[in-house]
Amino acid sequence: MKEFWTSLASLMGVFAFCQSLLHAVFPPELRFATAKLFNRLFNCFSSYCYFDITEIDGVNTNELYNAVQVYLSSSASVAGSRLSLTRALNSSAFTFGLSNNDRLVDTFRGATATWEHVVTQRQAQTFSWRPLPDEKRGFTLRIEKKDKPLILQAYLDHIMDTANDIRRRNQDRLLYTNSRGGAMDSRGHPWESVPFKHPSTFDTLAMDPSKKEEIMADLRDFAEGNAFYQKTGRAWKRGYLLYGPPGTGKSSMIAAMANFLGYDIYDLELTEVHTNSELRKLLMKTTSKSIIVIEDIDCSINLTNRSSKKPPNEPPSEFRAGPGARTGPDDATANSITLSGLLNFTDGLWSCCGSERIFVFTTNRIEKLDPALLRSGRMDMHIFMSYCSFPALKILMKNYLGFDDGELDGEEDGLLKQLEEVIDEAEITPADVSELLIKNRRREKREAIKELLEVLKSRRVEKKKPGSRSAAARKKRLNEELEEEEEEEEEEQEKRALESPKDGGEAMDMCNGKEGGEKGDEN
C-alpha cells in the first residue's frame, strides 16, 4: 500500500512539472487559440446549435429570460424532480422553476428543444455603482441545426405569448377608477386601482343559459380574433350595451366578463372628467386586455337625443358650457364633455391607441341615449337584462339553496311548476329574488321555496289590479315623462337664449361648426 501512494505522488509531481513546462513554453494566447480551434472543429461536426439567454443583459434585466422561466414552469411542475418555487407580486399562483444546472426537454412543431438552467459563481467585483448578483444565471437552448431556420423565431414568439398569458391568468385582476378626474399623480397615472375580487362568473349569473352561451361565444371570438381584426383593418375592440331595469344583474355581467377573459376593469366616472382632452388622457393610460366601463350613461352627463325637436335658438346637444356654467335648474356645474368627444372615445382615432379592449355601457333607460351612440362599431352587441325568468330562477336557487339538477326535477316538481307559471307575470328582478333566498338560506329548502312562491304570487296579483299599470303602460308613461322633461329643458334654454341674444348667437356659431364635424364623424 505504501508503494502505491509513493507511485501516485511521483506521478502527480511529473504532471505538475509538465503543466508548468507547458505554461512556460506555450503562451496564453496560443493556448486560447488552440482551444478556440478545437471548439470550432467540434461545432462543425456537431448536429446541434446552442443559444445562451442570460438573466441580465448588460445592466438591464433580460425579458426573454423571465419569459422562458414562466413558460417552462408548467412543464417543470410535471417533469422536474428538483424545482425552485416563486410567487410574483399580485399573483395568485406559484411558479415552478428549474433548479441549478437542471435540464428539461420541450417539443415545438415536431422539433425537440433542450433547456438547461446554468448557474455559475460570478468573480469578485470591484467597486460598482450597480453591483451585480453573486450568481450568474441563464438558460441554454439546444436545438438541431436543421430546425433552426424553421422554428427558432416562431418558437421564441410562442414562448413570449405563452408567458404573457400565464402571467395574466395568475395575476390578480385590478379594478381602476378615475377619482381624480384626469389629473396625474406623482407617478404620472390618472387611475387608482384596487384588487378585483368579484366572484361572479357565467356559471353563477342568473340569465337564460342560451343567452349566456351566445355572449361567451362572442367574447371568445373577440379574444381570439387578432388575425381577423388585422386582416380587415379594424381596431381590436368591441362595444357592449347592457340595458334593462335596475337590479337585473348588469354589474354582475361585467364582473363575469372580466373573470371569463381575465381582463382588468376600468370604471370610468364621467362626472369626474371635465374636458374631452381629459377623456383622451384617461383612454391613453388604459392597458390592453381590459374592459372600460361607463355605468348609467344616461345619468352621467346630459346627452340629449339629437333627433328630438329643438327650438331654433337652442344649441345642439353636444355643446356643453364650461365648468361652473349652469345648463339647467338642477345642474350646479356642467361638464364640457361633448357627445362628439364621447363618440371619438369609443369609435374614433383615439380609441385605437390600445388593443384588445372592450367598452361596456350600462343604462336603465335606453330610449334616452342618442342613436349615434348605439350604432354598430360603437355598441356592437345590445344585451337586454330582463326580469328574472324561470331558467334564471333555477340558477339562483342552485346558488343560494344548493339545489342540483336532480333535486330541481324530482322531489320539488310540484313547486317548480307553480314557480314556472308565476315567475314571468310577477316581473321580479334577480336582485329581489336573491335577497329573498339569502334571507331564507338557512331554512329548509322546501320552506324557502314556498315563501318565494308566495311572494311571487302576491306580486302577480298586484300587477293585475285595476290600479296597477302593465309593463307596456309603464313604458308609455315613462316615455311621456321623458318628453315632458325635454320640453321643459328646451323652454328653459330658449328663455336663456332670448335673455342674452348675443351670447346665444356666438354659441350657435360654435355649435354649428361642431355639429358639422360630428356628422362627418358619423358618416
Side-chain angles (χ1 to χ4, degrees), residues 238-291:
R238 193 155 181 81
Y240 293 85
L241 176 68
L242 310 181
Y243 67 99
T248 51
K250 292 184 282 293
S251 298
S252 297
M253 169 64 77
I254 296 172
M257 294 168 67
N259 290 327
F260 179 73
L261 296 174
Y263 287 4
D264 294 332
I265 295 180
Y266 288 84
D267 186 13
L268 178 59
E269 182 58 53
L270 284 181
T271 57
E272 293 288 337
V273 185
H274 301 98
T275 63
N276 290 337
S277 62
E278 287 185 2
L279 192 62
R280 289 193 296 268
K281 186 189 303 181
L282 288 168
L283 180 65
M284 291 173 61
K285 291 295 181 177
T286 59
T287 61
S288 299
K289 298 183 182 297
S290 60
I291 299 177

Side-chain angles (χ1 to χ4, degrees), residues 173-177 192-197 264-267 293:
R173 306 278 77 75
L174 295 178
L175 174 62
Y176 293 87
T177 182
E192 294 178 349
S193 64
V194 295
F196 181 71
K197 300 292 186 180
D264 294 332
I265 295 180
Y266 288 84
D267 186 13
V293 180

